[in-house]
Amino acid sequence: MADLRLVELSASTIVAVNNLSLKPGQEQFLAPVSYGIAATVMDPQTSWQRVVLDGDEVVGFVSANFDPEAHEEHFRSVLWRINVDADDQGRGVGRFALGQLLEEARSRGMDHVDVIYEPGVGGPEAFFLRAGFEPVGETEYGETVARVRV
Ligand SMILES: CC(C)(COP(=O)(O)OP(=O)(O)OC[C@H]1O[C@@H](n2cnc3c(N)ncnc32)[C@H](O)[C@@H]1OP(=O)(O)O)[C@@H](O)C(=O)NCCC(=O)NCCS
């Protein structure tokens, strides 16, 4: 497979990142309500985002927030968004990006990473459970909060 690596978001990748495609039915799972609300109070110092390249091609995007001071516990070490281009799903890109994110969390002294997602057919739950996340709660909007130890 694939020559996968992570790079920082830059002028040369941002357009491709914005154009990452989704499979039909995935749109509704991309940004749970809680994320939008948290984003309004997000500190650029604590956010981490990377583009996934396969060779020179942009195939995914992953972002997180690491802020031990965050008011809400599940925003202290949180996978914010992971998105693999529709044509590149199912060949390990998401697993690679998540592995790198967990490594980043470890290097920042975090002992876990949380994720918030909407359960449902076509959503990312199976991916997160396969990666070792376990549901630990629910937001007030009915989204699942899941956690993996790092
Ligand atoms: C969720 C997502 C990131 C997964 O990325 P991916 O590159 O397709 O996943 P991978 O190929 O790395 O799969 C890793 C494992 O998860 C499993 N998996 C991934 N998606 C799955 C699904 N929908 N159902 C069941 N298993 C799934 C794979 O079978 C694989 O299992 P294995 O370890 O036994 O081989 C991708 O489907 C995506 O971008 N979805 C749309 C955006 C989204 O919903 N993001 C999450 C909310 S921000």
Side-chain angles (χ1 to χ4, degrees), residues 104-117:
E104 179 69 21
R106 229 173 268 128
S107 76
R108 291 179 184 235
M110 304 295 174
D111 65 1
H112 71 277
V113 170
D114 288 341
V115 67
I116 303 168
Y117 58 81

Side-chain angles (χ1 to χ4, degrees), residues 19-32:
N19 287 331
L20 282 172
S21 60
L22 293 166
K23 290 191 173 171
Q26 289 183 331
E27 307 82 9
Q28 59 186 308
F29 295 100
L30 204 52

Side-chain angles (χ1 to χ4, degrees), residues 22 26 30 82-84 89-95 124 126-127 130:
L22 293 166
Q26 289 183 331
L30 204 52
I82 184 164
N83 182 195
V84 175
Q89 290 180 19
R91 61 184 195 95
V93 176
R95 186 194 301 124
F127 169 75
R130 181 81 187 103

Side-chain angles (χ1 to χ4, degrees), residues 15-130:
V15 172
V17 168
N18 282 332
N19 287 331
L20 282 172
S21 60
L22 293 166
K23 290 191 173 171
Q26 289 183 331
E27 307 82 9
Q28 59 186 308
F29 295 100
L30 204 52
V33 178
S34 310
Y35 281 33
I37 291 167
T40 63
V41 295
M42 218 172 77
D43 178 348
Q45 298 297 323
T46 63
S47 70
W48 178 87
Q49 46 196 12
R50 291 291 184 274
V51 178
V52 190
L53 293 185
D54 181 0
D56 291 331
E57 190 194 342
V58 171
V59 292
F61 178 73
V62 60
S63 69
N65 195 47
F66 301 112
D67 178 10
E69 312 290 313
H71 183 62
E72 292 266 358
E73 203 212 330
H74 52 261
F75 289 127
R76 290 182 191 152
S77 178
V78 64
L79 189 172
W80 203 246
R81 181 167 181 155
I82 184 164
N83 182 195
V84 175
D85 192 66
D87 292 342
D88 288 290
Q89 290 180 19
R91 61 184 195 95
V93 176
R95 186 194 301 124
F96 169 80
L98 179 60
Q100 299 286 300
L101 187 159
L102 299 183
E103 192 55 47
E104 179 69 21
R106 229 173 268 128
S107 76
R108 291 179 184 235
M110 304 295 174
D111 65 1
H112 71 277
V113 170
D114 288 341
V115 67
I116 303 168
Y117 58 81
E118 284 190 37
V121 176
E125 181 167 45
F127 169 75
F128 290 130
L129 297 182
R130 181 81 187 103

